[in-house]
Short mmCIF file of all heavy atoms in Angstrom, two decimals:
data_model
loop_
_atom_site.label_atom_id
_atom_site.label_comp_id
_atom_site.label_asym_id
_atom_site.label_seq_id
_atom_site.Cartn_x
_atom_site.Cartn_y
_atom_site.Cartn_z
N SER A 953 -21.04 -26.02 8.35
CA SER A 953 -19.80 -26.57 8.84
C SER A 953 -18.60 -25.44 8.97
O SER A 953 -18.59 -24.72 8.04
CB SER A 953 -19.37 -27.83 8.13
OG SER A 953 -18.96 -27.52 6.87
N TYR A 954 -17.86 -25.68 9.86
CA TYR A 954 -16.70 -24.73 10.01
C TYR A 954 -15.59 -25.14 8.95
O TYR A 954 -15.23 -26.22 8.86
CB TYR A 954 -16.13 -24.88 11.43
CG TYR A 954 -15.09 -23.90 11.70
CD1 TYR A 954 -15.24 -22.60 11.85
CD2 TYR A 954 -13.70 -24.33 11.54
CE1 TYR A 954 -14.27 -21.59 12.08
CE2 TYR A 954 -12.64 -23.44 11.75
CZ TYR A 954 -12.91 -22.09 12.01
OH TYR A 954 -11.89 -21.18 12.17
N LYS A 955 -15.09 -23.99 8.29
CA LYS A 955 -13.99 -24.27 7.42
C LYS A 955 -13.09 -23.14 7.71
O LYS A 955 -13.29 -21.90 7.66
CB LYS A 955 -14.54 -24.00 5.94
CG LYS A 955 -13.43 -24.22 4.91
CD LYS A 955 -14.05 -24.01 3.51
CE LYS A 955 -12.89 -24.13 2.50
NZ LYS A 955 -13.43 -23.77 1.17
N PRO A 956 -11.83 -23.50 8.21
CA PRO A 956 -10.78 -22.60 8.59
C PRO A 956 -10.61 -21.50 7.43
O PRO A 956 -10.47 -21.86 6.30
CB PRO A 956 -9.62 -23.37 8.80
CG PRO A 956 -10.06 -24.70 9.07
CD PRO A 956 -11.32 -24.92 8.29
N GLY A 957 -10.57 -20.31 7.84
CA GLY A 957 -10.36 -19.15 6.81
C GLY A 957 -11.52 -18.71 5.95
O GLY A 957 -11.37 -17.89 5.15
N SER A 958 -12.64 -19.47 6.23
CA SER A 958 -13.84 -19.14 5.47
C SER A 958 -14.19 -17.63 5.72
O SER A 958 -14.35 -17.28 6.88
CB SER A 958 -14.95 -20.03 5.83
OG SER A 958 -16.17 -19.47 5.32
N GLN A 959 -14.65 -16.80 4.69
CA GLN A 959 -15.04 -15.61 4.93
C GLN A 959 -16.44 -15.61 5.62
O GLN A 959 -16.77 -14.63 6.30
CB GLN A 959 -15.26 -14.96 3.51
CG GLN A 959 -13.86 -14.57 2.81
CD GLN A 959 -12.97 -13.62 3.56
OE1 GLN A 959 -13.43 -12.62 4.07
NE2 GLN A 959 -11.67 -14.08 3.77
N HIS A 960 -17.14 -16.60 5.49
CA HIS A 960 -18.37 -16.81 6.25
C HIS A 960 -18.20 -16.86 7.66
O HIS A 960 -18.82 -16.14 8.49
CB HIS A 960 -19.19 -18.04 5.87
CG HIS A 960 -19.77 -17.95 4.49
ND1 HIS A 960 -20.96 -17.27 4.13
CD2 HIS A 960 -19.35 -18.49 3.26
CE1 HIS A 960 -21.27 -17.41 2.92
NE2 HIS A 960 -20.27 -18.14 2.37
N ASN A 961 -17.19 -17.63 8.18
CA ASN A 961 -16.86 -17.73 9.52
C ASN A 961 -16.33 -16.47 10.14
O ASN A 961 -16.53 -16.26 11.39
CB ASN A 961 -15.94 -18.90 9.67
CG ASN A 961 -16.53 -20.30 9.43
OD1 ASN A 961 -17.75 -20.38 9.48
ND2 ASN A 961 -15.80 -21.16 9.00
N LEU A 962 -15.77 -15.66 9.29
CA LEU A 962 -15.28 -14.30 9.73
C LEU A 962 -16.24 -13.31 9.64
O LEU A 962 -16.05 -12.22 10.11
CB LEU A 962 -14.10 -13.94 8.86
CG LEU A 962 -12.93 -14.94 8.85
CD1 LEU A 962 -11.91 -14.49 7.65
CD2 LEU A 962 -12.14 -14.85 10.17
N GLY A 963 -17.51 -13.58 9.33
CA GLY A 963 -18.61 -12.59 9.19
C GLY A 963 -18.49 -11.70 8.04
O GLY A 963 -19.07 -10.57 8.09
N ASN A 964 -17.72 -12.04 7.05
CA ASN A 964 -17.46 -11.12 5.89
C ASN A 964 -18.23 -11.61 4.70
O ASN A 964 -17.82 -10.99 3.58
CB ASN A 964 -15.94 -11.17 5.59
CG ASN A 964 -15.12 -10.61 6.76
OD1 ASN A 964 -15.73 -9.66 7.48
ND2 ASN A 964 -13.88 -10.98 6.95
N ALA A 965 -19.04 -12.52 4.67
CA ALA A 965 -19.59 -13.17 3.45
C ALA A 965 -20.98 -13.43 3.53
O ALA A 965 -21.59 -13.66 4.64
CB ALA A 965 -18.96 -14.36 3.04
N ALA A 966 -21.71 -13.44 2.39
CA ALA A 966 -23.02 -13.90 2.29
C ALA A 966 -23.31 -14.67 1.02
O ALA A 966 -22.58 -14.47 -0.06
CB ALA A 966 -24.08 -12.75 2.33
N ASP A 967 -24.15 -15.68 0.89
CA ASP A 967 -24.58 -16.36 -0.19
C ASP A 967 -25.91 -15.81 -0.55
O ASP A 967 -26.87 -15.88 0.25
CB ASP A 967 -24.57 -17.82 -0.10
CG ASP A 967 -23.23 -18.45 0.18
OD1 ASP A 967 -22.26 -17.85 -0.28
OD2 ASP A 967 -23.12 -19.51 0.77
N VAL A 968 -26.11 -15.26 -1.76
CA VAL A 968 -27.28 -14.48 -2.19
C VAL A 968 -28.08 -15.19 -3.23
O VAL A 968 -27.45 -15.57 -4.41
CB VAL A 968 -26.93 -13.09 -2.65
CG1 VAL A 968 -28.14 -12.30 -3.03
CG2 VAL A 968 -26.15 -12.34 -1.61
N THR A 969 -29.32 -15.38 -3.00
CA THR A 969 -30.27 -15.82 -4.03
C THR A 969 -31.18 -14.67 -4.30
O THR A 969 -31.22 -13.76 -3.51
CB THR A 969 -31.18 -17.05 -3.56
OG1 THR A 969 -31.87 -16.74 -2.53
CG2 THR A 969 -30.22 -18.35 -3.26
N MET A 970 -31.70 -14.71 -5.59
CA MET A 970 -32.44 -13.41 -6.00
C MET A 970 -33.51 -13.80 -6.92
O MET A 970 -33.44 -14.72 -7.67
CB MET A 970 -31.52 -12.41 -6.61
CG MET A 970 -30.74 -12.97 -7.89
SD MET A 970 -29.28 -11.95 -8.22
CE MET A 970 -28.17 -12.85 -7.04
N SER A 971 -34.55 -12.99 -6.89
CA SER A 971 -35.70 -12.91 -7.83
C SER A 971 -35.98 -11.49 -8.17
O SER A 971 -35.84 -10.64 -7.24
CB SER A 971 -36.81 -13.80 -7.37
OG SER A 971 -37.41 -13.13 -6.29
N GLY A 972 -36.41 -11.20 -9.40
CA GLY A 972 -36.76 -9.88 -9.76
C GLY A 972 -35.56 -8.97 -10.07
O GLY A 972 -35.66 -7.78 -10.44
N ILE A 973 -34.42 -9.50 -10.11
CA ILE A 973 -33.18 -8.86 -10.57
C ILE A 973 -32.32 -9.84 -11.25
O ILE A 973 -32.21 -10.97 -10.86
CB ILE A 973 -32.50 -8.20 -9.39
CG1 ILE A 973 -31.14 -7.38 -9.97
CG2 ILE A 973 -32.07 -9.16 -8.36
CD1 ILE A 973 -30.44 -6.67 -8.77
N ASN A 974 -31.82 -9.44 -12.42
CA ASN A 974 -30.90 -10.41 -13.10
C ASN A 974 -29.43 -10.40 -12.50
O ASN A 974 -29.16 -9.56 -11.86
CB ASN A 974 -31.03 -10.32 -14.58
CG ASN A 974 -30.19 -9.04 -15.09
OD1 ASN A 974 -29.15 -8.72 -14.56
ND2 ASN A 974 -30.84 -8.38 -16.06
N ARG A 975 -28.75 -11.47 -12.83
CA ARG A 975 -27.47 -11.62 -12.12
C ARG A 975 -26.53 -10.55 -12.53
O ARG A 975 -25.73 -10.01 -11.85
CB ARG A 975 -26.90 -13.01 -12.49
CG ARG A 975 -27.49 -14.01 -11.63
CD ARG A 975 -26.89 -15.39 -11.88
NE ARG A 975 -27.07 -16.35 -10.86
CZ ARG A 975 -26.22 -17.19 -10.41
NH1 ARG A 975 -25.11 -17.45 -11.05
NH2 ARG A 975 -26.62 -17.92 -9.28
N ALA A 976 -26.56 -10.01 -13.84
CA ALA A 976 -25.71 -8.99 -14.34
C ALA A 976 -25.94 -7.74 -13.41
O ALA A 976 -25.09 -7.04 -13.20
CB ALA A 976 -25.91 -8.70 -15.78
N GLU A 977 -27.22 -7.37 -13.26
CA GLU A 977 -27.48 -6.25 -12.32
C GLU A 977 -26.97 -6.30 -10.99
O GLU A 977 -26.37 -5.36 -10.47
CB GLU A 977 -28.98 -5.96 -12.30
CG GLU A 977 -29.59 -5.46 -13.58
CD GLU A 977 -31.06 -5.42 -13.60
OE1 GLU A 977 -31.77 -6.21 -12.75
OE2 GLU A 977 -31.68 -4.71 -14.48
N PHE A 978 -27.02 -7.61 -10.43
CA PHE A 978 -26.52 -7.92 -9.10
C PHE A 978 -24.99 -7.71 -9.19
O PHE A 978 -24.38 -7.11 -8.21
CB PHE A 978 -26.92 -9.20 -8.66
CG PHE A 978 -26.43 -9.49 -7.22
CD1 PHE A 978 -26.95 -8.95 -6.10
CD2 PHE A 978 -25.24 -10.25 -7.11
CE1 PHE A 978 -26.49 -9.35 -4.88
CE2 PHE A 978 -24.79 -10.50 -5.80
CZ PHE A 978 -25.32 -9.99 -4.77
N VAL A 979 -24.28 -8.22 -10.09
CA VAL A 979 -22.86 -8.16 -10.14
C VAL A 979 -22.39 -6.81 -10.37
O VAL A 979 -21.47 -6.24 -9.65
CB VAL A 979 -22.34 -9.00 -11.41
CG1 VAL A 979 -20.77 -8.85 -11.58
CG2 VAL A 979 -22.64 -10.53 -11.14
N GLU A 980 -23.07 -5.98 -11.13
CA GLU A 980 -22.74 -4.53 -11.25
C GLU A 980 -23.01 -3.84 -9.94
O GLU A 980 -22.08 -3.11 -9.52
CB GLU A 980 -23.80 -3.81 -12.25
CG GLU A 980 -23.50 -2.51 -12.54
CD GLU A 980 -22.17 -1.99 -13.17
OE1 GLU A 980 -21.69 -2.72 -13.96
OE2 GLU A 980 -21.54 -0.89 -12.77
N ALA A 981 -24.02 -4.14 -9.27
CA ALA A 981 -24.23 -3.47 -7.87
C ALA A 981 -23.20 -3.85 -6.90
O ALA A 981 -22.62 -3.07 -6.04
CB ALA A 981 -25.64 -3.88 -7.29
N ALA A 982 -22.83 -5.25 -6.87
CA ALA A 982 -21.71 -5.76 -5.98
C ALA A 982 -20.40 -5.01 -6.29
O ALA A 982 -19.70 -4.55 -5.30
CB ALA A 982 -21.53 -7.24 -6.17
N GLY A 983 -20.09 -4.86 -7.50
CA GLY A 983 -18.86 -4.06 -7.85
C GLY A 983 -18.86 -2.66 -7.33
O GLY A 983 -17.86 -2.17 -6.82
N LYS A 984 -20.08 -2.06 -7.60
CA LYS A 984 -20.10 -0.57 -7.08
C LYS A 984 -20.02 -0.53 -5.60
O LYS A 984 -19.54 0.53 -4.99
CB LYS A 984 -21.43 -0.03 -7.52
CG LYS A 984 -21.38 0.29 -8.96
CD LYS A 984 -22.79 0.87 -9.46
CE LYS A 984 -22.82 1.34 -10.90
NZ LYS A 984 -24.12 1.78 -11.28
N ALA A 985 -20.54 -1.53 -4.90
CA ALA A 985 -20.56 -1.61 -3.52
C ALA A 985 -19.20 -1.99 -2.80
O ALA A 985 -19.12 -1.89 -1.58
CB ALA A 985 -21.57 -2.53 -2.92
N GLY A 986 -18.11 -2.21 -3.58
CA GLY A 986 -16.90 -2.58 -3.04
C GLY A 986 -16.69 -4.03 -2.67
O GLY A 986 -15.73 -4.32 -1.91
N ILE A 987 -17.55 -4.85 -3.18
CA ILE A 987 -17.32 -6.35 -3.04
C ILE A 987 -16.10 -6.78 -3.62
O ILE A 987 -15.72 -6.29 -4.65
CB ILE A 987 -18.51 -7.17 -3.51
CG1 ILE A 987 -19.87 -6.84 -2.79
CG2 ILE A 987 -18.21 -8.64 -3.64
CD1 ILE A 987 -19.75 -7.20 -1.33
N ASN A 988 -15.25 -7.58 -2.92
CA ASN A 988 -13.96 -8.09 -3.42
C ASN A 988 -14.04 -9.52 -3.87
O ASN A 988 -13.30 -9.89 -4.67
CB ASN A 988 -12.83 -7.82 -2.40
CG ASN A 988 -12.38 -6.34 -2.46
OD1 ASN A 988 -12.52 -5.71 -3.41
ND2 ASN A 988 -11.91 -5.94 -1.27
N GLY A 989 -14.78 -10.33 -3.14
CA GLY A 989 -14.85 -11.84 -3.40
C GLY A 989 -16.16 -12.15 -3.95
O GLY A 989 -17.21 -11.57 -3.48
N ILE A 990 -16.20 -12.83 -5.20
CA ILE A 990 -17.41 -13.10 -5.80
C ILE A 990 -17.30 -14.44 -6.36
O ILE A 990 -16.39 -14.83 -7.10
CB ILE A 990 -17.91 -11.96 -6.81
CG1 ILE A 990 -19.25 -12.21 -7.29
CG2 ILE A 990 -16.95 -11.88 -8.09
CD1 ILE A 990 -20.04 -11.08 -7.97
N GLY A 991 -18.29 -15.37 -6.10
CA GLY A 991 -18.18 -16.66 -6.52
C GLY A 991 -19.59 -17.01 -7.24
O GLY A 991 -20.68 -16.69 -6.55
N PHE A 992 -19.62 -17.58 -8.32
CA PHE A 992 -20.86 -17.96 -9.04
C PHE A 992 -21.17 -19.40 -9.00
O PHE A 992 -20.29 -20.30 -9.31
CB PHE A 992 -20.67 -17.56 -10.50
CG PHE A 992 -20.46 -16.06 -10.71
CD1 PHE A 992 -19.19 -15.55 -10.66
CD2 PHE A 992 -21.42 -15.19 -10.83
CE1 PHE A 992 -19.01 -14.13 -10.69
CE2 PHE A 992 -21.33 -13.86 -11.00
CZ PHE A 992 -19.98 -13.33 -10.95
N TYR A 993 -22.34 -19.64 -8.55
CA TYR A 993 -22.90 -21.06 -8.36
C TYR A 993 -24.19 -21.15 -9.12
O TYR A 993 -24.82 -20.12 -9.40
CB TYR A 993 -23.06 -21.32 -6.86
CG TYR A 993 -21.75 -21.39 -6.08
CD1 TYR A 993 -21.29 -20.32 -5.56
CD2 TYR A 993 -21.08 -22.52 -6.01
CE1 TYR A 993 -20.02 -20.15 -4.94
CE2 TYR A 993 -19.77 -22.55 -5.33
CZ TYR A 993 -19.36 -21.40 -4.77
OH TYR A 993 -18.12 -21.30 -4.09
N ASN A 994 -24.71 -22.30 -9.23
CA ASN A 994 -25.94 -22.48 -10.01
C ASN A 994 -27.18 -21.78 -9.39
O ASN A 994 -28.04 -21.24 -10.10
CB ASN A 994 -26.32 -23.95 -10.17
CG ASN A 994 -25.40 -24.61 -11.15
OD1 ASN A 994 -24.90 -24.08 -12.01
ND2 ASN A 994 -25.35 -25.97 -11.05
N THR A 995 -27.32 -21.83 -8.03
CA THR A 995 -28.46 -21.28 -7.37
C THR A 995 -28.16 -20.08 -6.58
O THR A 995 -29.19 -19.57 -5.90
CB THR A 995 -29.07 -22.38 -6.48
OG1 THR A 995 -28.11 -22.78 -5.47
CG2 THR A 995 -29.59 -23.54 -7.32
N PHE A 996 -27.01 -19.55 -6.41
CA PHE A 996 -26.69 -18.33 -5.64
C PHE A 996 -25.37 -17.78 -6.11
O PHE A 996 -24.66 -18.49 -6.82
CB PHE A 996 -26.67 -18.69 -4.14
CG PHE A 996 -25.42 -19.62 -3.85
CD1 PHE A 996 -24.21 -19.21 -3.25
CD2 PHE A 996 -25.69 -21.01 -3.84
CE1 PHE A 996 -23.18 -20.01 -2.88
CE2 PHE A 996 -24.59 -21.89 -3.40
CZ PHE A 996 -23.47 -21.32 -3.06
N ILE A 997 -25.12 -16.51 -5.64
CA ILE A 997 -23.85 -15.87 -5.82
C ILE A 997 -23.20 -15.58 -4.46
O ILE A 997 -23.95 -15.07 -3.52
CB ILE A 997 -24.00 -14.56 -6.60
CG1 ILE A 997 -24.39 -14.88 -8.11
CG2 ILE A 997 -22.63 -13.78 -6.65
CD1 ILE A 997 -24.62 -13.61 -8.87
N HIS A 998 -22.15 -15.97 -4.25
CA HIS A 998 -21.36 -15.69 -2.96
C HIS A 998 -20.61 -14.25 -3.13
O HIS A 998 -20.15 -14.12 -4.17
CB HIS A 998 -20.18 -16.80 -2.76
CG HIS A 998 -19.25 -16.33 -1.72
ND1 HIS A 998 -19.35 -16.88 -0.48
CD2 HIS A 998 -18.15 -15.51 -1.76
CE1 HIS A 998 -18.33 -16.37 0.33
NE2 HIS A 998 -17.70 -15.61 -0.49
N VAL A 999 -20.77 -13.46 -2.14
CA VAL A 999 -20.12 -12.20 -2.12
C VAL A 999 -19.40 -12.16 -0.78
O VAL A 999 -19.89 -12.54 0.28
CB VAL A 999 -21.00 -11.01 -2.32
CG1 VAL A 999 -21.51 -11.04 -3.73
CG2 VAL A 999 -22.17 -11.03 -1.42
N ASP A 1000 -18.20 -11.29 -0.77
CA ASP A 1000 -17.63 -11.04 0.54
C ASP A 1000 -16.64 -9.89 0.34
O ASP A 1000 -16.45 -9.30 -0.71
CB ASP A 1000 -16.74 -12.37 1.06
CG ASP A 1000 -15.48 -12.69 0.10
OD1 ASP A 1000 -14.60 -11.79 -0.12
OD2 ASP A 1000 -15.49 -13.86 -0.43
N VAL A 1001 -16.18 -9.42 1.60
CA VAL A 1001 -15.45 -8.14 1.66
C VAL A 1001 -14.00 -8.46 2.10
O VAL A 1001 -13.46 -7.65 2.79
CB VAL A 1001 -16.08 -7.16 2.48
CG1 VAL A 1001 -17.43 -6.69 1.96
CG2 VAL A 1001 -16.32 -7.74 3.92
N ARG A 1002 -13.36 -9.54 1.56
CA ARG A 1002 -11.98 -9.89 1.79
C ARG A 1002 -11.18 -8.61 1.41
O ARG A 1002 -11.69 -7.79 0.69
CB ARG A 1002 -11.56 -11.13 1.14
CG ARG A 1002 -11.64 -11.07 -0.34
CD ARG A 1002 -11.26 -12.35 -1.03
NE ARG A 1002 -12.30 -13.29 -0.90
CZ ARG A 1002 -12.26 -14.60 -0.86
NH1 ARG A 1002 -11.07 -15.01 -1.16
NH2 ARG A 1002 -13.24 -15.27 -0.77
N ASN A 1003 -9.98 -8.58 1.74
CA ASN A 1003 -9.09 -7.43 1.32
C ASN A 1003 -8.33 -7.64 0.00
O ASN A 1003 -7.34 -6.86 -0.24
CB ASN A 1003 -8.15 -7.20 2.47
CG ASN A 1003 -7.16 -8.29 2.76
OD1 ASN A 1003 -7.11 -9.30 2.13
ND2 ASN A 1003 -6.37 -8.05 3.84
N TYR A 1004 -8.81 -8.52 -0.78
CA TYR A 1004 -8.14 -8.61 -2.14
C TYR A 1004 -9.33 -9.11 -3.13
O TYR A 1004 -10.25 -9.73 -2.65
CB TYR A 1004 -6.99 -9.56 -2.13
CG TYR A 1004 -7.29 -10.95 -1.75
CD1 TYR A 1004 -7.63 -11.89 -2.59
CD2 TYR A 1004 -7.21 -11.28 -0.38
CE1 TYR A 1004 -8.02 -13.25 -2.12
CE2 TYR A 1004 -7.56 -12.55 0.12
CZ TYR A 1004 -7.87 -13.47 -0.80
OH TYR A 1004 -8.27 -14.89 -0.30
N LYS A 1005 -9.08 -8.91 -4.33
CA LYS A 1005 -10.05 -9.29 -5.37
C LYS A 1005 -9.97 -10.77 -5.58
O LYS A 1005 -8.77 -11.31 -5.78
CB LYS A 1005 -9.81 -8.62 -6.70
CG LYS A 1005 -10.14 -7.10 -6.63
CD LYS A 1005 -11.58 -6.87 -6.61
CE LYS A 1005 -11.96 -5.42 -6.76
NZ LYS A 1005 -13.35 -5.17 -6.58
N ALA A 1006 -11.09 -11.45 -5.60
CA ALA A 1006 -11.19 -12.99 -5.90
C ALA A 1006 -12.45 -13.23 -6.69
O ALA A 1006 -13.43 -12.65 -6.35
CB ALA A 1006 -10.98 -13.77 -4.67
N LYS A 1007 -12.42 -14.16 -7.58
CA LYS A 1007 -13.49 -14.62 -8.32
C LYS A 1007 -13.53 -16.05 -8.60
O LYS A 1007 -12.28 -16.60 -8.71
CB LYS A 1007 -13.62 -13.92 -9.54
CG LYS A 1007 -12.61 -14.14 -10.59
CD LYS A 1007 -12.56 -13.26 -11.73
CE LYS A 1007 -11.42 -13.35 -12.65
NZ LYS A 1007 -10.07 -13.75 -12.03
N TRP A 1008 -14.53 -16.74 -8.75
CA TRP A 1008 -14.54 -18.21 -9.08
C TRP A 1008 -15.88 -18.66 -9.56
O TRP A 1008 -16.79 -17.89 -9.53
CB TRP A 1008 -14.12 -19.11 -7.88
CG TRP A 1008 -14.98 -18.95 -6.68
CD1 TRP A 1008 -16.10 -19.75 -6.37
CD2 TRP A 1008 -14.84 -17.91 -5.68
NE1 TRP A 1008 -16.58 -19.36 -5.23
CE2 TRP A 1008 -15.95 -18.16 -4.74
CE3 TRP A 1008 -14.10 -16.80 -5.38
CZ2 TRP A 1008 -16.22 -17.47 -3.64
CZ3 TRP A 1008 -14.28 -16.24 -4.24
CH2 TRP A 1008 -15.29 -16.51 -3.39
N GLY A 1009 -15.97 -19.84 -10.13
CA GLY A 1009 -17.16 -20.29 -10.74
C GLY A 1009 -17.26 -19.81 -12.16
O GLY A 1009 -16.33 -19.18 -12.73
N PRO A 1010 -18.35 -20.08 -12.78
CA PRO A 1010 -18.61 -19.68 -14.32
C PRO A 1010 -18.96 -18.20 -14.42
O PRO A 1010 -20.06 -17.93 -14.46
CB PRO A 1010 -19.75 -20.59 -14.74
CG PRO A 1010 -20.43 -21.06 -13.43
CD PRO A 1010 -19.45 -20.97 -12.31
N TYR A 1011 -17.98 -17.40 -14.39
CA TYR A 1011 -18.17 -15.96 -14.47
C TYR A 1011 -18.00 -15.38 -15.80
O TYR A 1011 -18.06 -14.18 -15.99
CB TYR A 1011 -17.28 -15.24 -13.44
CG TYR A 1011 -15.76 -15.53 -13.76
CD1 TYR A 1011 -15.15 -14.70 -14.90
CD2 TYR A 1011 -14.96 -16.47 -13.07
CE1 TYR A 1011 -13.77 -14.88 -15.08
CE2 TYR A 1011 -13.69 -16.60 -13.42
CZ TYR A 1011 -13.05 -15.84 -14.48
OH TYR A 1011 -11.80 -16.01 -14.75
N GLY A 1012 -17.75 -16.09 -16.95
CA GLY A 1012 -17.41 -15.57 -18.18
C GLY A 1012 -18.39 -14.57 -18.69
O GLY A 1012 -17.92 -13.61 -19.21
N GLN A 1013 -19.66 -14.83 -18.55
CA GLN A 1013 -20.55 -13.77 -19.17
C GLN A 1013 -20.69 -12.55 -18.33
O GLN A 1013 -21.26 -11.52 -18.85
CB GLN A 1013 -22.05 -14.46 -19.25
CG GLN A 1013 -22.63 -14.58 -17.83
CD GLN A 1013 -24.01 -15.46 -18.04
OE1 GLN A 1013 -24.42 -15.79 -19.08
NE2 GLN A 1013 -24.70 -15.67 -16.86
N TYR A 1014 -20.01 -12.44 -17.23
CA TYR A 1014 -19.90 -11.16 -16.49
C TYR A 1014 -18.56 -10.60 -16.50
O TYR A 1014 -18.32 -9.67 -15.72
CB TYR A 1014 -20.31 -11.45 -14.97
CG TYR A 1014 -21.59 -12.30 -14.85
CD1 TYR A 1014 -21.60 -13.66 -14.54
CD2 TYR A 1014 -22.83 -11.70 -15.14
CE1 TYR A 1014 -22.70 -14.39 -14.42
CE2 TYR A 1014 -23.93 -12.51 -15.10
CZ TYR A 1014 -23.96 -13.76 -14.74
OH TYR A 1014 -25.12 -14.52 -14.60
N ALA A 1015 -17.69 -11.02 -17.35
CA ALA A 1015 -16.23 -10.73 -17.36
C ALA A 1015 -16.13 -9.14 -17.64
O ALA A 1015 -15.34 -8.49 -16.95
CB ALA A 1015 -15.53 -11.42 -18.50
N SER A 1016 -16.98 -8.56 -18.53
CA SER A 1016 -16.77 -7.09 -18.71
C SER A 1016 -17.17 -6.31 -17.49
O SER A 1016 -16.52 -5.24 -17.16
CB SER A 1016 -17.58 -6.70 -19.97
OG SER A 1016 -18.90 -6.86 -19.66
N ILE A 1017 -18.14 -6.66 -16.78
CA ILE A 1017 -18.59 -6.09 -15.56
C ILE A 1017 -17.48 -6.24 -14.45
O ILE A 1017 -17.06 -5.28 -13.79
CB ILE A 1017 -19.94 -6.65 -14.93
CG1 ILE A 1017 -20.96 -6.43 -15.99
CG2 ILE A 1017 -20.25 -5.99 -13.61
CD1 ILE A 1017 -22.36 -7.13 -15.63
N LEU A 1018 -16.97 -7.50 -14.36
CA LEU A 1018 -16.00 -7.73 -13.29
C LEU A 1018 -14.70 -6.90 -13.56
O LEU A 1018 -14.14 -6.22 -12.71
CB LEU A 1018 -15.67 -9.23 -13.20
CG LEU A 1018 -16.81 -10.09 -12.76
CD1 LEU A 1018 -16.33 -11.52 -12.99
CD2 LEU A 1018 -17.05 -9.95 -11.33
N ARG A 1019 -14.32 -6.85 -14.84
CA ARG A 1019 -13.07 -6.09 -15.15
C ARG A 1019 -13.26 -4.64 -14.94
O ARG A 1019 -12.36 -3.98 -14.36
CB ARG A 1019 -12.87 -6.38 -16.74
CG ARG A 1019 -11.54 -5.82 -17.21
CD ARG A 1019 -11.39 -6.08 -18.72
NE ARG A 1019 -11.46 -7.47 -19.02
CZ ARG A 1019 -12.29 -8.15 -19.75
NH1 ARG A 1019 -13.38 -7.53 -20.30
NH2 ARG A 1019 -12.34 -9.47 -19.86
N LYS A 1020 -14.54 -4.04 -15.10
CA LYS A 1020 -14.75 -2.73 -14.93
C LYS A 1020 -14.51 -2.27 -13.48
O LYS A 1020 -14.28 -1.25 -13.15
CB LYS A 1020 -16.11 -2.32 -15.39
CG LYS A 1020 -16.60 -0.85 -15.23
CD LYS A 1020 -17.91 -0.62 -15.84
CE LYS A 1020 -19.08 -1.17 -15.11
NZ LYS A 1020 -20.28 -0.59 -15.63
N HIS A 1021 -14.71 -3.31 -12.66
CA HIS A 1021 -14.58 -3.07 -11.09
C HIS A 1021 -13.44 -3.65 -10.47
O HIS A 1021 -13.32 -3.86 -9.34
CB HIS A 1021 -15.92 -3.59 -10.47
CG HIS A 1021 -17.15 -2.84 -10.79
ND1 HIS A 1021 -17.39 -1.55 -10.35
CD2 HIS A 1021 -18.19 -3.16 -11.57
CE1 HIS A 1021 -18.59 -1.18 -10.94
NE2 HIS A 1021 -19.05 -2.12 -11.58
N GLY A 1022 -12.53 -3.88 -11.32
CA GLY A 1022 -11.12 -4.26 -10.84
C GLY A 1022 -10.67 -5.63 -10.75
O GLY A 1022 -9.59 -5.94 -10.35
N TRP A 1023 -11.62 -6.51 -11.17
CA TRP A 1023 -11.10 -7.92 -11.09
C TRP A 1023 -10.25 -8.21 -12.35
O TRP A 1023 -10.49 -7.72 -13.45
CB TRP A 1023 -12.17 -8.86 -11.12
CG TRP A 1023 -12.94 -9.15 -9.87
CD1 TRP A 1023 -12.45 -10.08 -8.92
CD2 TRP A 1023 -14.03 -8.44 -9.38
NE1 TRP A 1023 -13.29 -10.03 -7.72
CE2 TRP A 1023 -14.28 -9.05 -7.99
CE3 TRP A 1023 -14.98 -7.48 -9.79
CZ2 TRP A 1023 -15.34 -8.64 -7.27
CZ3 TRP A 1023 -15.89 -7.05 -9.02
CH2 TRP A 1023 -16.14 -7.65 -7.73
N ASN A 1024 -9.20 -9.03 -12.35
CA ASN A 1024 -8.41 -9.55 -13.48
C ASN A 1024 -9.22 -10.57 -14.13
O ASN A 1024 -9.48 -11.71 -13.56
CB ASN A 1024 -7.03 -10.01 -13.05
CG ASN A 1024 -6.15 -8.81 -12.49
OD1 ASN A 1024 -6.27 -7.82 -13.04
ND2 ASN A 1024 -5.39 -9.03 -11.54
N VAL A 1025 -9.64 -10.36 -15.33
CA VAL A 1025 -10.36 -11.45 -16.04
C VAL A 1025 -9.67 -11.63 -17.28
O VAL A 1025 -9.24 -10.89 -18.01
CB VAL A 1025 -11.80 -10.86 -16.40
CG1 VAL A 1025 -12.59 -11.83 -17.11
CG2 VAL A 1025 -12.53 -10.55 -15.04
#
């Protein structure tokens, strides 16, 4: 569904499910790749390339990785 201002609708976002890689490795790779928006959900991780850092969801266990890549945690 359309949500005004959604990074998905702007073509700037993806929701990623994964197998064979743990979430910490993915978060590290996302940080290295310049991802700015990251949201943690039970079954996927949202990533986007908005022009400012944003995070949401239960990210506590990834705080050190996020901090290393510029998120305020």
Side-chain angles (χ1 to χ4, degrees):
S953 66
Y954 181 79
K955 181 178 174 187
S958 165
Q959 294 297 313
H960 288 285
N961 294 335
L962 298 171
N964 295 333
D967 293 335
V968 181
T969 59
M970 61 204 80
S971 62
I973 181 173
N974 70 44
R975 283 182 159 215
E977 291 172 339
F978 181 82
V979 173
E980 178 69 34
K984 287 180 178 177
I987 294 298
N988 282 332
I990 190 162
F992 297 90
Y993 297 87
N994 287 337
T995 59
F996 65 93
I997 296 178
H998 166 100
V999 291
D1000 67 57
V1001 293
R1002 67 184 68 207
N1003 61 4
Y1004 59 92
K1005 293 287 190 186
K1007 65 190 176 324
W1008 59 93
Y1011 61 81
Q1013 66 185 4
Y1014 312 107
S1016 64
I1017 299 169
L1018 294 170
R1019 192 176 300 112
K1020 179 170 74 170
H1021 293 289
W1023 280 276
N1024 291 322
V1025 178

